[in-house]
Amino acid sequence: MISQVFILSSKGDHLIYKDYRGEADKDAVSIFYEMVTALSGDQPPVVMSHKDLNFIHVRQGGLYWVASTKTDASPFTIIEFLNRLAALTKDYCGSLCEKSVRMNFALIYELLDEMVDYGYIQTTSTDILKNFIQTEAVTSKPFSLFDLSNVGLFGAETQQSKVAPSAAATRPIMSHRSEQGGKNEIFVDVVERISVVIGSNGVLMKADVEGEIRVKCYLPTCSEMRIGLNEEFSIGKSQLRGYGMAVRVDECSFHQAVKLDEFDTYRILKVCPSQGEQTLMQYQLSDELPCAPPFRLFPTVEKDYGNRLLIFLKLRCDLPPKSTALNVSVTVPVPKSSLSLSQELSSPDQTADLQLKNKAILWSIPRFPGGAQLSALFKVEVPGLSSASLLEVGPVSMSFELPKHTCTGLQIRFLRLSPTHPGLSQRWVRYVTHSDSYTIRI
Amino acid sequence: MEWASQLCENRGLGSKMTDSKYFTTTKKGEIFELKAELNSDKKEKKKEAVKKVIASMTVGKDVSALFPDVVNCMQTDNLELKKLVYLYLMNYAKSQPDMAIMAVNTFVKDCEDPNPLIRALAVRTMGCIRVDKITEYLCEPLRKCLKDEDPYVRKTAAVCVAKLHDINAQLVEDQGFLDTLKDLISDSNPMVVANAVAALSEIAESHPNSNLLDLNPQTINKLLTALNECTEWGQIFILDCLANYTPRDDRESQSICERVTPRLSHANSAVVLSAVKVLMKFMEMLPKDLDYYGTLLKKLAPPLVTLLSAEPELQYVALRNINLIVQKRPEILKHEMKVFFVKYNDPIYVKLEKLDIMIRLASQANIAQVLAELKEYATEVDVDFVRKAVRAIGRCAIKVEQSAERCVSTLLDLIQTKVNYVVQEAIVVIKDIFRKYPNKYESVIATLCENLDSLDEPEARAAMIWIVGEYAERIDNADELLESFLEGFHDESTQVQLQLLTAIVKLFLKKPTETQELVQQVLSLATQDSDNPDLRDRGYIYWRLLSTDPVAAKEVVLAEKPLISEETDLIEPTLLEELICHIGTLASVYHKPPSAFVEGSRGVQHKRLPARAGSGESTESPDVGQSVSGVSDAPPAVIPSQGDLLGDLLNLDLAPPTTTVPPVPSSMQMGAMDLLGGGLDSLSGSHYRTEVPSPQPADFSERELGGDLGGSPAMGVGVGVGVGVGVGLGPAPVGMPAGLGAAPAVGGGLGDLFDLGGGVGMTSGSYSPPRVVWLQAMKAKGLEISGTFARRGGVIQMDVSLTNKAMSVMSDFAVQFNKNSFGMAPAGPLQVLTPLGPNQTVEVSLPLSSTGPVMKMEPLNNLQVAVKNNIDVFYFSCQYPISLLFVEDGKMDRQVFLATWKDIPSDNEAQFQIKDCHLSSDAASNKLQGSNIFTVAKRTVEAQDMLYQSIKLTNGIWVLAELRIQTGNPNYTLSVKCRAPEVSQYVSQCYELILKN
């Protein structure tokens, strides 16, 4: 049972404080902030206790979302709840930041009152909540296309024609009373996160993809939406459908509201999306990627004369030539005593520098087209270089973003709404793959 | 929007309440202004004013002075304003109880409102005003709302009962609200059911003995139905409530599990974990050989793996839970090692938890993979993580024997990096590896000694000193090395000092000539210049020991040390059981029982897992088996538990010279025993029974003076006894010659004793199970096969009857076996010489050999057979009694028997009950011998006959058993020990079959 819920800014300001059971003091807020800021690196911050009060918190939008409890409550319940609370706040207020929470505190209090009663969670569904919520959201600014502070899912894609402006997906959902400019739009995002470990011999040691289909809905009324996935989509190792390249995942879970009666035969998800953001489907695939991992690295590390370490990296992007990877960054750990770096890169838009704090070289490549190969030579000055310090080089880790690409090959065939309002509603489908943990051992 | 911008300007106020300038200059004016606005006629202005008040309240300003003005705004038809006023009321009612009464009338009126939203809002808010006086006004409206037509009002009212109960429990009982609440469990709306369950569960916790939440099959059924329709949060309440129920039998348990399993694929991790809790608990009641049990195990893995793709916060909580589940049922996740490999961007607290689970899952099958990962981790940047990774390599070496060599070479590679903290951790774990595998890896000592100077942490220094002392004879300059440590003796930590003292004494005993000076120096440092009682006393003991009897000192100090146990830092079984009952709660994250952090009455009752149905299974899980064999509840640790020591003592009386025989304290049973060297006998018996007190002096010598790296807490006890030893020149050394003298005589005595069992009469024929139908005619185109197995004259035979129930003649019979656990294969063709006419039966005896290809089957004694005839090929599987495999030369020499029994780890011991058997021990022994179960020895203690028996299987596996038969008690107890513990269960089945036939 939840005793209190509070939201703090990163500086510890009280933004929201709600006491459900009257069993703990308001001092708890300051105690929590002191504890969380005093934590050392290896102490797990998620669950903390002070006397008989237990704090559970998550960080979202730069804010601390905290719940306290005096009983042996379920931390899963509370973490899920806090994440939902943050998501709902985002849905209702448009964006998630200190300012929007401050401006909409009355709305958030109202939400909290309806979501939890005496510490028992009642509901977190926008469909139910919209019957009770009276307060209207206050947005910080008039909605603007050129609002650069709101970088959406695909920061780099905004220029392209057939793509919705990223800010379109960050506005409040509550438009049933004030209809001004509220467009009937629905966004379906297929987001995948890939984690890969490639061994020093170039063998793919581990490859996992976690993905989800997310819907963000601004339609006031929508009785049913049908989302068609690839027909050859299959779940589990044994189940293969059709011929040719199957799109396969290991495990799949669905939102409670998704109806699956047509899923088995036609791979169609049916759902009546409620306003706001929902994750309709989550899936994961491990060990058997249908295509090659997006990046291959061919490293050479050797000792030059004196105290110089030579690191030569050849990086190849194995995406199809049409695709491009964005914001690629490569981190190469170097010996702790490294002093300085000089580099030779193949094009001027790339950068590389030695981060003394982390003892690593950071090589950034803003755009990396599929099929291309880039190389870089790093010369690192390491006083007292020994053969043992060569062991400290690596493993290389990478982060990147692959727009319009899914690693599992999952595609959305169609998106149908019923009843159809011709011309009234706009439907957007977007794909992106993010790197989660992409490690290449040397 | 003024209040909002004002708020933004004053950010930081919450944490800096001492902003005196703000308070002194504006407070008064602001309150005054707000008062005016609150009393304004305009609705909008009023609303804005209340919002401002609440904004101030949130940042911690005291706006209680405005109470009457805010309450005045309450009577409004604007729901938004009403909600804001209620928010204020809930916050300040407690500090202004008298004024809160003013609001009561409005609440009562609102409870009659036609709008259900307003009714619910009123009853919800009233319950949150925690003022005693208000409760009497609350009862009537609450009663009405509990029976309201709108489910939204009912579900709110259900929670309100819990609120009221917290303020005034007596009132709730008097007014009969509890009964109404119970009725709501059968409500048609699942949300109401969920809230009623939640409210009742909480109220029931404060009345532990009440029968409030009367869980019976009917209510459980209702809950399970509501489970499918509820919101996700309601499902959690219901699942948590289900977890408190104890099913009557395994069938009910299975049916609940079946209905809970679909929750495992829910997107909400809290629902998943609550379902896992229910399943883990009820699974305990399912028999392990049930097919469903295996299916359930398989179903549990994917949801747990899925949790690891969530946010780091959830991952951490999930990993803490998985840690418990892996300790309880490692089989669930044994194939999922890879998901626990760390990602470079995991937060450190997730990395450390993953590492821990990796070690728990490490086995011979995956050790190569694990080691390769650990080696990578050991070169990462994060110091804490690297340390833990190095430790993990050591734990792998100790856990998986086959990997020890690889681990040691990996550790040596890491030492080469010369990274200070890596070297220190590596040395600490290598010390443990030496303890586990003595005389195997000492070649690395030279490399370790090179790094002596870089050690600055006490634990690493102590480990290094232990190594130098233990292997002083192999290190040429051991004396110089130890001497170098001695220079700063007083600056060292206690751990290092104690270790240094012991190491130098060891060195002296090994090289007495060169090191006399050194030992004197350390003894005087420890005894004269130290304030630490542990150190001083240990010094005195050594001193006296050395000065009185150096030979005895050698026996004591250089005694062989027991090997360290495989698995460290496991959670104690009873605690683990309790924590399994709390999966998905804070207890499972802290790994502490709820009573340790939840105050007062709540959650004090300790939850236990239900007992498994059926008796023969009770010892399946290793922890239970252990407590049966008498090791008590002590957690396994590096320091040997009592059980190991007793095990070692057992060794003393049979393996003659060298060690001391401790005097045995006279105990109750001894009086009742015959003169046959009773003391020793009771000692060897002490391994099986727990009542014999552990002989202190021996314990002492093994544990303390032997100089392991045990911490000082245990020292205190040891020293107390030890001083006695020193001064009185106590029992240990004196006892030795006597013991030695006694040993041969006793050996003879034991021999006589053992002979009793040997000569017992002749066999009465091997056991053969009744004939059963293996293949039904309708499944095999008219061919019916039935049969049995027998062992005749050392040959296994499969007696088969083939019946033709079809209309046509059958011919060309042939038989083939699938690979099986014991390599059974037909030794000849299936001899059906004439074609088999319709309705004819032929009996064939098929000799079997046990040299065929081997593959482990499930169950172990499963045999898959293919029979071919002119019509088709048919497959069936059958199970043979494992007694078929008991060979004729299975009688073990009694000396070997005792040594083997001792040698097999007690984890491998399984205990079974054989019920309703009325044979005398001799008759039983005879009967068993017929099936090649040989009685090696028989002993009678207090009307209890113990038969020690040995069995040899065709593949050379020895099975040792102890059968305990008490006169007049039809229930026998069977303890089975075998190096392949999976056989035990089948052996016990054979005992049962043979004895009852």
Side-chain angles (χ1 to χ4, degrees), chain B residues 131-163:
Chain B
V131 176
D132 218 357
K133 280 185 197 162
I134 211 170
T135 52
E136 47 188 296
Y137 299 97
L138 186 55
C139 292
E140 269 324 296
L142 179 57
R143 199 185 313 282
K144 269 186 209 145
C145 288
L146 280 168
K147 303 234 157 80
D148 200 282
E149 53 178 19
D150 192 290
Y152 181 68
V153 181
R154 286 203 302 276
K155 72 133 191 158
T156 314
V159 176
C160 191
V161 176
K163 295 179 189 169

Short mmCIF file of all heavy atoms in Angstrom, two decimals, chain B residues 131-163:
data_model
loop_
_atom_site.label_atom_id
_atom_site.label_comp_id
_atom_site.label_asym_id
_atom_site.label_seq_id
_atom_site.Cartn_x
_atom_site.Cartn_y
_atom_site.Cartn_z
N VAL B 131 -10.23 12.33 11.48
CA VAL B 131 -10.61 12.94 12.75
C VAL B 131 -11.64 12.03 13.39
O VAL B 131 -12.62 11.65 12.75
CB VAL B 131 -11.21 14.33 12.51
CG1 VAL B 131 -11.69 14.92 13.81
CG2 VAL B 131 -10.17 15.23 11.87
N ASP B 132 -11.35 11.68 14.64
CA ASP B 132 -12.21 10.71 15.32
C ASP B 132 -13.67 11.16 15.37
O ASP B 132 -14.60 10.38 15.19
CB ASP B 132 -11.67 10.47 16.73
CG ASP B 132 -11.82 9.01 17.11
OD1 ASP B 132 -12.39 8.26 16.28
OD2 ASP B 132 -11.38 8.63 18.20
N LYS B 133 -13.85 12.45 15.60
CA LYS B 133 -15.21 12.95 15.78
C LYS B 133 -16.08 12.75 14.54
O LYS B 133 -17.30 12.66 14.65
CB LYS B 133 -15.15 14.46 16.07
CG LYS B 133 -14.82 14.78 17.50
CD LYS B 133 -14.90 16.29 17.67
CE LYS B 133 -14.21 16.72 18.95
NZ LYS B 133 -13.92 18.14 18.93
N ILE B 134 -15.45 12.76 13.41
CA ILE B 134 -16.23 12.73 12.18
C ILE B 134 -16.80 11.34 11.91
O ILE B 134 -17.78 11.17 11.19
CB ILE B 134 -15.35 13.21 10.99
CG1 ILE B 134 -16.23 13.90 9.94
CG2 ILE B 134 -14.60 12.09 10.34
CD1 ILE B 134 -15.41 14.59 8.88
N THR B 135 -16.20 10.32 12.57
CA THR B 135 -16.57 8.95 12.22
C THR B 135 -18.05 8.65 12.47
O THR B 135 -18.66 7.94 11.68
CB THR B 135 -15.72 7.94 13.01
OG1 THR B 135 -15.82 8.27 14.39
CG2 THR B 135 -14.28 7.99 12.57
N GLU B 136 -18.61 9.20 13.54
CA GLU B 136 -20.00 8.83 13.81
C GLU B 136 -20.95 9.35 12.73
O GLU B 136 -21.98 8.75 12.46
CB GLU B 136 -20.43 9.33 15.20
CG GLU B 136 -20.06 10.77 15.45
CD GLU B 136 -20.33 11.17 16.90
OE1 GLU B 136 -21.51 11.15 17.27
OE2 GLU B 136 -19.35 11.49 17.62
N TYR B 137 -20.53 10.46 12.12
CA TYR B 137 -21.37 10.98 11.03
C TYR B 137 -21.18 10.18 9.75
O TYR B 137 -21.97 10.25 8.83
CB TYR B 137 -21.03 12.45 10.74
CG TYR B 137 -21.25 13.35 11.93
CD1 TYR B 137 -20.19 13.70 12.75
CD2 TYR B 137 -22.52 13.84 12.22
CE1 TYR B 137 -20.38 14.51 13.84
CE2 TYR B 137 -22.72 14.66 13.31
CZ TYR B 137 -21.65 15.00 14.14
OH TYR B 137 -21.85 15.80 15.20
N LEU B 138 -20.07 9.48 9.70
CA LEU B 138 -19.70 8.78 8.47
C LEU B 138 -20.50 7.50 8.26
O LEU B 138 -20.75 7.08 7.14
CB LEU B 138 -18.19 8.48 8.52
CG LEU B 138 -17.50 7.89 7.31
CD1 LEU B 138 -17.74 8.76 6.10
CD2 LEU B 138 -16.02 7.77 7.57
N CYS B 139 -20.93 6.88 9.41
CA CYS B 139 -21.49 5.53 9.32
C CYS B 139 -22.70 5.41 8.40
O CYS B 139 -22.74 4.54 7.53
CB CYS B 139 -21.87 5.04 10.71
SG CYS B 139 -20.43 4.79 11.72
N GLU B 140 -23.67 6.29 8.59
CA GLU B 140 -24.90 6.16 7.78
C GLU B 140 -24.63 6.31 6.28
O GLU B 140 -25.02 5.44 5.51
CB GLU B 140 -25.96 7.15 8.26
CG GLU B 140 -26.87 6.59 9.33
CD GLU B 140 -27.20 5.11 9.15
OE1 GLU B 140 -27.84 4.79 8.13
OE2 GLU B 140 -26.78 4.28 9.98
N PRO B 141 -23.97 7.43 5.90
CA PRO B 141 -23.69 7.55 4.46
C PRO B 141 -22.89 6.36 3.91
O PRO B 141 -23.18 5.88 2.83
CB PRO B 141 -22.83 8.83 4.37
CG PRO B 141 -23.11 9.58 5.60
CD PRO B 141 -23.51 8.60 6.65
N LEU B 142 -21.96 5.87 4.71
CA LEU B 142 -21.14 4.76 4.23
C LEU B 142 -22.00 3.52 3.99
O LEU B 142 -21.87 2.82 2.99
CB LEU B 142 -20.03 4.46 5.24
CG LEU B 142 -19.10 3.30 4.90
CD1 LEU B 142 -18.43 3.53 3.56
CD2 LEU B 142 -18.04 3.11 5.97
N ARG B 143 -22.91 3.27 4.94
CA ARG B 143 -23.77 2.10 4.80
C ARG B 143 -24.55 2.17 3.48
O ARG B 143 -24.67 1.18 2.76
CB ARG B 143 -24.74 2.03 5.98
CG ARG B 143 -25.36 0.66 6.17
CD ARG B 143 -26.40 0.64 7.26
NE ARG B 143 -25.96 1.30 8.48
CZ ARG B 143 -25.13 0.75 9.39
NH1 ARG B 143 -24.68 -0.46 9.18
NH2 ARG B 143 -24.78 1.41 10.47
N LYS B 144 -25.07 3.37 3.20
CA LYS B 144 -25.83 3.54 1.96
C LYS B 144 -24.93 3.32 0.74
O LYS B 144 -25.31 2.64 -0.21
CB LYS B 144 -26.42 4.95 1.89
CG LYS B 144 -27.81 5.02 2.49
CD LYS B 144 -28.39 6.42 2.26
CE LYS B 144 -29.35 6.73 3.38
NZ LYS B 144 -29.34 8.15 3.75
N CYS B 145 -23.73 3.92 0.81
CA CYS B 145 -22.86 3.84 -0.35
C CYS B 145 -22.38 2.42 -0.64
O CYS B 145 -22.14 2.05 -1.78
CB CYS B 145 -21.65 4.76 -0.18
SG CYS B 145 -22.10 6.48 -0.31
N LEU B 146 -22.27 1.62 0.44
CA LEU B 146 -21.85 0.23 0.22
C LEU B 146 -22.88 -0.53 -0.59
O LEU B 146 -22.59 -1.56 -1.19
CB LEU B 146 -21.61 -0.47 1.57
CG LEU B 146 -20.28 -0.18 2.26
CD1 LEU B 146 -20.32 -0.69 3.68
CD2 LEU B 146 -19.13 -0.83 1.51
N LYS B 147 -24.10 -0.06 -0.54
CA LYS B 147 -25.17 -0.75 -1.27
C LYS B 147 -25.61 0.06 -2.47
O LYS B 147 -26.68 -0.16 -3.03
CB LYS B 147 -26.37 -0.96 -0.33
CG LYS B 147 -26.03 -1.74 0.93
CD LYS B 147 -26.95 -2.92 1.10
CE LYS B 147 -26.34 -4.01 1.96
NZ LYS B 147 -26.43 -3.79 3.39
N ASP B 148 -24.82 1.05 -2.86
CA ASP B 148 -25.18 1.95 -3.95
C ASP B 148 -25.37 1.15 -5.24
O ASP B 148 -24.82 0.07 -5.42
CB ASP B 148 -24.07 2.99 -4.13
CG ASP B 148 -24.55 4.21 -4.86
OD1 ASP B 148 -24.67 4.14 -6.11
OD2 ASP B 148 -24.81 5.23 -4.21
N GLU B 149 -26.16 1.75 -6.13
CA GLU B 149 -26.38 1.04 -7.40
C GLU B 149 -25.20 1.19 -8.35
O GLU B 149 -24.98 0.37 -9.23
CB GLU B 149 -27.65 1.58 -8.08
CG GLU B 149 -27.59 3.10 -8.22
CD GLU B 149 -28.80 3.67 -8.92
OE1 GLU B 149 -29.83 2.99 -8.98
OE2 GLU B 149 -28.69 4.82 -9.40
N ASP B 150 -24.42 2.24 -8.15
CA ASP B 150 -23.31 2.50 -9.06
C ASP B 150 -22.03 1.81 -8.56
O ASP B 150 -21.63 2.01 -7.40
CB ASP B 150 -23.07 4.01 -9.16
CG ASP B 150 -22.14 4.34 -10.31
OD1 ASP B 150 -20.94 4.02 -10.22
OD2 ASP B 150 -22.62 4.92 -11.30
N PRO B 151 -21.39 1.01 -9.38
CA PRO B 151 -20.20 0.29 -8.92
C PRO B 151 -19.05 1.22 -8.52
O PRO B 151 -18.27 0.89 -7.63
CB PRO B 151 -19.80 -0.57 -10.13
CG PRO B 151 -20.52 -0.02 -11.29
CD PRO B 151 -21.76 0.64 -10.76
N TYR B 152 -18.97 2.39 -9.16
CA TYR B 152 -17.91 3.34 -8.81
C TYR B 152 -18.04 3.77 -7.36
O TYR B 152 -17.05 3.89 -6.63
CB TYR B 152 -17.98 4.54 -9.76
CG TYR B 152 -16.93 5.59 -9.51
CD1 TYR B 152 -15.59 5.33 -9.77
CD2 TYR B 152 -17.27 6.85 -9.04
CE1 TYR B 152 -14.62 6.28 -9.56
CE2 TYR B 152 -16.31 7.82 -8.82
CZ TYR B 152 -14.99 7.53 -9.08
OH TYR B 152 -14.03 8.48 -8.87
N VAL B 153 -19.30 3.98 -6.93
CA VAL B 153 -19.52 4.36 -5.54
C VAL B 153 -19.22 3.19 -4.62
O VAL B 153 -18.58 3.34 -3.57
CB VAL B 153 -20.97 4.86 -5.34
CG1 VAL B 153 -21.20 5.27 -3.91
CG2 VAL B 153 -21.28 5.99 -6.30
N ARG B 154 -19.65 1.99 -5.01
CA ARG B 154 -19.43 0.82 -4.16
C ARG B 154 -17.95 0.55 -3.97
O ARG B 154 -17.50 0.25 -2.86
CB ARG B 154 -20.08 -0.42 -4.79
CG ARG B 154 -21.59 -0.45 -4.69
CD ARG B 154 -22.13 -1.88 -4.79
NE ARG B 154 -21.76 -2.57 -6.01
CZ ARG B 154 -22.41 -2.45 -7.17
NH1 ARG B 154 -23.47 -1.66 -7.25
NH2 ARG B 154 -22.01 -3.12 -8.24
N LYS B 155 -17.18 0.66 -5.06
CA LYS B 155 -15.76 0.34 -4.90
C LYS B 155 -15.07 1.39 -4.03
O LYS B 155 -14.16 1.07 -3.28
CB LYS B 155 -15.07 0.20 -6.27
CG LYS B 155 -14.87 1.50 -7.01
CD LYS B 155 -13.46 1.63 -7.57
CE LYS B 155 -13.26 3.04 -8.06
NZ LYS B 155 -11.98 3.55 -8.18
N THR B 156 -15.54 2.64 -4.11
CA THR B 156 -14.97 3.66 -3.25
C THR B 156 -15.36 3.41 -1.79
O THR B 156 -14.54 3.57 -0.88
CB THR B 156 -15.44 5.04 -3.70
OG1 THR B 156 -15.31 5.15 -5.11
CG2 THR B 156 -14.64 6.13 -3.04
N ALA B 157 -16.59 2.99 -1.59
CA ALA B 157 -17.06 2.73 -0.23
C ALA B 157 -16.30 1.56 0.38
O ALA B 157 -16.00 1.57 1.58
CB ALA B 157 -18.56 2.46 -0.26
N ALA B 158 -15.98 0.56 -0.44
CA ALA B 158 -15.26 -0.60 0.09
C ALA B 158 -13.92 -0.17 0.68
O ALA B 158 -13.55 -0.60 1.78
CB ALA B 158 -15.03 -1.62 -1.03
N VAL B 159 -13.23 0.72 -0.02
CA VAL B 159 -11.96 1.21 0.51
C VAL B 159 -12.20 2.03 1.75
O VAL B 159 -11.41 2.01 2.71
CB VAL B 159 -11.22 2.02 -0.57
CG1 VAL B 159 -9.94 2.61 -0.01
CG2 VAL B 159 -10.91 1.17 -1.76
N CYS B 160 -13.32 2.75 1.77
CA CYS B 160 -13.62 3.61 2.92
C CYS B 160 -13.76 2.79 4.20
O CYS B 160 -13.42 3.27 5.28
CB CYS B 160 -14.88 4.42 2.64
SG CYS B 160 -15.15 5.72 3.82
N VAL B 161 -14.22 1.55 4.09
CA VAL B 161 -14.32 0.71 5.29
C VAL B 161 -12.93 0.50 5.88
O VAL B 161 -12.74 0.58 7.10
CB VAL B 161 -14.98 -0.64 4.95
CG1 VAL B 161 -14.98 -1.55 6.17
CG2 VAL B 161 -16.39 -0.43 4.45
N ALA B 162 -11.94 0.26 5.01
CA ALA B 162 -10.58 0.09 5.51
C ALA B 162 -10.08 1.37 6.17
O ALA B 162 -9.39 1.33 7.19
CB ALA B 162 -9.66 -0.31 4.36
N LYS B 163 -10.43 2.50 5.59
CA LYS B 163 -10.00 3.78 6.19
C LYS B 163 -10.59 3.94 7.58
O LYS B 163 -9.90 4.31 8.53
CB LYS B 163 -10.47 4.94 5.31
CG LYS B 163 -9.86 5.00 3.93
CD LYS B 163 -10.45 6.19 3.17
CE LYS B 163 -10.04 6.17 1.71
NZ LYS B 163 -10.80 7.14 0.90
#
